[in-house]
Amino acid sequence: MKPATNLAPSPDEHIHGHGLRMTDQRRAVYDALMGKRDHPTAVEVFMRVKTRMPTISLATVYNCLETLTGCGLVKTVNHDREPSRFCPNLKEHAHFFCERCGGVTDVPLRMRRRARDAWEVPGDIVISHHEVSLRGLCPKCARKNPKSKIQNPK
């Protein structure tokens, strides 16, 4: 009998569980996302991967991102009409969008809280997923213009 472990499956095992394999291209795209963790667009991922894999195409990067997202290894982050961004953080969290510089920052949940506990959801609703976003000024942009009309609610 195999001992029980709390270890999550590796990305390779995770993608194999979906009947796929971790190709060199998928690995390069995954590594580019995990290396910086800054919510890049597909084009930004392409530019990172291209330095290590010069023959990769933008279409291949889009296909890899679609596969990684479909397998649950990364999340797609959408903000208004901007290009989709990709997030390797799989823990429950919200995203903060800076309205000045366009930066995206993960906002973790407080310990022992669940995002769905923040809203009074009718009992007969089934939530498949949720996306929480906050907007305002990041600390760097707020320091540049302390008299901004954007207020930090407390």
Side-chain angles (χ1 to χ4, degrees):
M1 185 190 287
K2 214 165 121 177
T5 65
N6 290 337
L7 298 175
S10 72
D12 293 54
E13 293 167 336
H14 195 89
I15 208 164
H16 287 201
H18 285 81
L20 302 168
R21 63 187 183 90
M22 184 63 89
T23 63
D24 291 342
Q25 293 86 352
R26 289 176 184 151
R27 168 63 63 199
V29 168
Y30 181 78
D31 290 347
L33 288 168
M34 297 306 288
K36 209 165 178 193
R37 294 180 169 257
D38 61 346
H39 306 87
T41 64
V43 172
E44 291 167 336
V45 173
F46 170 68
M47 298 307 290
R48 292 177 193 175
V49 174
K50 189 121 178 104
T51 62
R52 291 183 31 216
M53 190 176 275
T55 59
I56 197 165
S57 69
L58 181 57
T60 298
V61 170
Y62 271 107
N63 290 334
C64 290
L65 289 167
E66 184 178 327
T67 298
L68 294 172
T69 301
C71 290
L73 288 171
V74 299
K75 293 179 181 180
T76 303
V77 178
N78 296 301
H79 177 61
D80 295 336
R81 294 179 179 224
E82 294 181 14
S84 294
R85 294 176 173 272
F86 297 89
C87 177
N89 182 355
L90 299 179
K91 295 179 182 174
E92 281 196 75
H93 66 282
H95 289 103
F96 175 81
F97 296 91
C98 181
E99 294 176 334
R100 183 155 302 133
C101 70
V104 182
T105 306
D106 286 347
V107 179
L109 289 170
R110 290 189 173 138
M111 301 254 321
R112 294 183 293 276
R113 301 271 174 115
R114 295 179 307 173
R116 65 177 170 223
D117 293 341
W119 296 278
E120 290 191 32
V121 179
D124 56 346
I125 289 179
V126 177
I127 299 172
S128 62
H129 72 280
H130 63 273
E131 296 175 19
V132 178
S133 64
L134 309 166
R135 291 165 174 74
L137 296 178
C138 68
K140 185 177 177 181
C141 290
R143 281 191 299 275
K144 289 180 184 175
N145 188 3
K147 294 183 181 182
S148 174
K149 291 183 182 181
I150 299 172
Q151 298 294 316
N152 185 11
K154 290 195 178 192

